[in-house]
Amino acid sequence: MSDLRIRPAGHEDLDTVLAFWRTAAEGTSISDDRDGVERLVARDPEALLLDERGGELVGTVIAGFDGWRCHLYRLAVHPDHRRRGIGSALLTAADERFVRLGGRRGDAMVLVRNERAQHAWRAAGYEPQEQWRRWVKPLTG
């Protein structure tokens, strides 16, 4: 882990991140495009965290804080680099960011069908809250 480098993404990283998510992330989002990620980085330049090993992108997490709640999205580790502590390192960096900002509790959106992710989040100390249901509505301009 000596070559570990976790840092916020910059605008120059966005195409690499989008290509990475196509390989490493489970599922897609309506915001998984250049415009969506550019808005994220412009609004909160420290939210999208990248983990690089030897100059190669191997993991990401979005650690968003809206002043009220801490939200985690797009925890993704390249398939060739899983089970090496990358996800844990990214979540530790996200937790540290949240604490610095005054956050009190982190939450994560995890696909129900992604059993590997369910295990990873449990191992990181997160618990499902079955009493909650996510409600969504696509917005049109």
Side-chain angles (χ1 to χ4, degrees), residues 24-38:
E26 179 76 22
T28 58
S29 165
I30 195 170
S31 301
D32 287 354
D33 59 22
R34 177 85 187 192
D35 289 341
V37 183
E38 279 181 348

Side-chain angles (χ1 to χ4, degrees), residues 76-124:
V77 175
H78 191 282
D80 294 341
H81 295 273
R82 291 182 178 152
R83 311 275 312 152
R84 297 182 191 175
I86 293 167
S88 295
L90 284 162
L91 289 177
T92 296
D95 288 350
E96 290 169 355
R97 176 175 199 264
F98 291 151
V99 169
R100 276 194 318 273
L101 294 171
R104 297 180 179 174
R105 176 182 67 198
D107 66 48
M109 292 180 13
V110 183
L111 290 171
V112 172
R113 72 174 186 262
N114 190 342
E115 290 186 30
R116 179 177 27 240
Q118 305 290 333
H119 294 293
W121 286 101
R122 271 193 189 83

Side-chain angles (χ1 to χ4, degrees), residues 20-95:
F20 176 81
W21 285 343
R22 285 191 291 276
T23 300
E26 179 76 22
T28 58
S29 165
I30 195 170
S31 301
D32 287 354
D33 59 22
R34 177 85 187 192
D35 289 341
V37 183
E38 279 181 348
R39 277 190 301 277
L40 168 68
V41 172
R43 182 184 179 282
D44 188 348
E46 296 183 5
L48 175 53
L49 299 175
L50 309 181
D51 188 342
E52 297 173 327
R53 305 284 165 109
E56 176 187 1
L57 179 60
V58 295
T60 67
V61 69
I62 298 172
F65 182 63
D66 60 14
W68 182 258
R69 296 216 169 101
C70 306
H71 302 286
L72 293 156
Y73 310 93
R74 282 289 177 237
L75 176 62
V77 175
H78 191 282
D80 294 341
H81 295 273
R82 291 182 178 152
R83 311 275 312 152
R84 297 182 191 175
I86 293 167
S88 295
L90 284 162
L91 289 177
T92 296
D95 288 350

